[in-house]
Amino acid sequence: MSSTDIALVLGTRPEIVKLAGVARLLGPRARIVWSGQHWDPALTTAFFAQYGLPRPHHLLNGVGGEPRGRQMGRMVSALSDHLAARPPAAVVVQGDTNTAAAGALAAHCAGIPVVHVEAGLRSFDPDMPEEANRRLIAPLADLHCAPTATAAAHLLREGIDADRVIITGNTVVEATLETLPAEPEARRIVAEHAVIPGGYLLATIHRPENTDDAARLAQILDQLAALDLPVLLPLHPRTRAAVEAFGLRRPSARLRRIEPLDHAGFLALARHCRLLVSDSGGVQEECTVLKRPLVVVRNSTERPEAVRAGFARLARPGHELARALRELLADEAAAERLARLPSPYGSGQASAEIVAALRDRYLSPGPAVGQPALPLAELGLV
């Protein structure tokens, strides 16, 4: 190939976090393309600066708040123009965002290889927009970087060729280990929020299944507010808008509402909380590195590894959430037990595995398809 760079298509805060290591290892061969899906500077600009990443190629303004179909259409159009003007050797997309789906589609239509990082996750919940994005990307991708054997098995069952699937681990492990502040700084951040280690909950709620349903969001806020321990709630822009639109200021006022945190600040608070409560996919992974218990407030999860390993518990708002909160807060041995468990998402080499595959397949002479990073046959997957 004549092109000597790899385009990393990003549009949300988690994508910055999870691909920062890949970008740094690629060095000047990394081209960061920003879709504009997240538009709040607190969720974007600060993260680029925190990870020391170069200024991205900004494609769109004002796309963040648009309906999903229109948003994806505009992103595909803008990405197609960008890729036509400057074709990279490959396009990397991460996870299950609208940006990832748009990036994969635009690259595929342009005849550019698509590399999907965090491939193979499945919730089997057709109501999740993210599940539709994951299933859209799978047949378009030329290389699937699966974080776990479970994710790889999903891809193989869907008919993806084994030589297009590698198991790399999840880049969230190294991102968490690299970003978590040293203990003195972490404790300073905790004290800055007027709480003590082990004496508070940290909650994040932002998914449409929770924020777009007034009764469901009210139930979550009420159940958190009823707890005896203080609950820190960094407000995502979508959640803040829902609280205002649904008239939920009173229940949210009983929680300690704080501004969105940078990644280091969030990890410091998460590391020392008594319990995490979240509907985030990334937090389900980070809790396995931080060794903190988590209640996943959702109908389903595409990350069953965290649940099976004992770090997370899935609970719907209502009696399931109330019971999970009660039982996990009463489990005084949780921290000691979790500290002994390894993360199911790897040991922190995922970025290096992914970059090695990119160099072998797209940036160096040789065959288009190399050997899997981990032999699938030995894992009983083929």
Side-chain angles (χ1 to χ4, degrees), residues 267-288:
L267 292 177
L269 291 175
R271 176 67 183 87
H272 288 288
C273 71
R274 176 75 172 274
L275 179 64
L276 284 160
V277 180
S278 181
D279 56 13
S280 162
V283 175
Q284 292 178 62
E285 299 157 348
E286 290 165 342
C287 75
T288 72

Side-chain angles (χ1 to χ4, degrees), residues 11 14 24 41 60 71 87 129 148 153 162 183 212 232 240 245 273 341 371:
R24 288 197 299 268
L60 294 168
Q71 181 186 83
T148 66
E183 191 62 11
D212 293 358
L232 299 183
R240 181 184 292 108
C273 71
L341 298 178
Q371 295 300 313

Side-chain angles (χ1 to χ4, degrees), residues 10-13 16 34-46 48 58 60-67 71 98-99 236-241:
L10 314 176
T12 67
R13 180 175 74 168
I16 300 172
W34 183 251
S35 74
Q37 181 175 337
H38 272 180
W39 67 97
D40 188 326
L43 297 178
T44 56
T45 305
F48 279 110
H58 282 273
L60 294 168
N61 291 316
V63 72
E66 293 192 346
Q71 181 186 83
N98 292 345
T99 293
H236 187 282
R238 182 189 292 127
T239 313
R240 181 184 292 108

Side-chain angles (χ1 to χ4, degrees), residues 121 147-151 154 288 302-311 344-345:
L121 276 64
T148 66
T150 296
H154 290 155
T288 72
E302 65 286 350
R303 293 169 172 84
E305 298 92 346
V307 176
R308 288 198 296 260
F311 290 98
Y345 299 109

